[in-house]
Amino acid sequence: MTMSIEEISDRLEIQDLLIAYSYALDFQDWDAMEALFTPDATVDYSEMGGSKGDLATTMEFLRTTMPGFPAYQHLVAGSEIKIDGDVAHVRTMLHNPMIMSEGEQPDLMFCGLWYVDTLVRTPDGWRIKERVEKKSYMRYFPGKKS
């Protein structure tokens, strides 16, 4: 498959957007996170136990929930990108280890899911218009208790 320079550029910009989302979330940079979405975005985290709604609902959920975890990482990979003009449909794998408690032997959870996104090209670059999490697995490992 031969790609135009514009399609190569779009794909790199989309990959950067997905990575920026992970970094904003992992470092709790809520202003940077909000800027990655369109103002009318909808987000559905409900398959993994999270919120479902507009951008304000999503940001409130993230601001109040994520600080409760001592540590986590959102590792994205393997994006399938289909671009049609100024719209892109993207499916991306996510592996998300989360520390659930502090201490010598903390509780740990592994989450695996896909982000299913509709992205749109804006004057500020590609933005997330719709994001739906699709669950693959969730596994909890309790830490050893003394």
Side-chain angles (χ1 to χ4, degrees):
M1 167 173 91
T2 302
M3 288 187 246
S4 69
I5 295 297
E6 182 178 1
E7 187 172 7
I8 293 168
S9 176
D10 285 340
R11 288 173 173 275
L12 290 172
E13 290 173 34
I14 288 168
Q15 288 175 354
D16 284 350
L17 173 69
L18 299 170
I19 292 167
Y21 174 92
S22 293
Y23 275 73
L25 185 54
D26 288 348
F27 291 103
Q28 298 181 25
D29 186 344
W30 307 127
D31 292 336
M33 169 70 74
E34 195 165 352
L36 302 173
F37 291 87
T38 63
D40 63 342
T42 59
V43 181
D44 183 353
Y45 296 145
S46 62
E47 272 195 33
M48 299 299 288
S51 67
K52 178 180 181 179
D54 62 11
L55 184 56
T57 300
T58 301
M59 294 309 301
E60 179 64 20
F61 169 74
L62 294 173
R63 284 184 176 104
T64 58
T65 304
M66 299 313 290
F69 296 99
Y72 46 83
Q73 289 183 316
H74 290 76
L75 309 167
V76 292
S79 295
E80 175 185 63
I81 302 170
K82 296 177 181 176
I83 301 169
D84 184 11
D86 292 337
V87 177
H89 298 281
V90 182
R91 183 171 50 182
T92 303
M93 288 181 266
L94 171 75
H95 176 69
N96 176 208
M98 302 181 80
I99 301 295
M100 305 294 288
S101 64
E102 296 190 77
E104 188 175 320
Q105 294 291 323
D107 297 338
L108 174 65
M109 181 169 62
F110 287 113
C111 301
L113 58 108
W114 289 270
Y115 289 134
V116 180
D117 297 326
T118 300
L119 310 179
V120 294
R121 187 192 319 267
T122 74
D124 297 319
W126 288 96
R127 295 294 182 263
I128 303 167
K129 181 166 181 61
E130 180 180 357
R131 168 160 280 187
V132 177
E133 288 183 342
K134 294 292 184 183
K135 184 177 181 177
S136 177
Y137 59 87
M138 185 180 288
R139 179 77 162 106
Y140 180 74
F141 299 92
K144 293 182 181 178
K145 305 297 181 209
S146 302

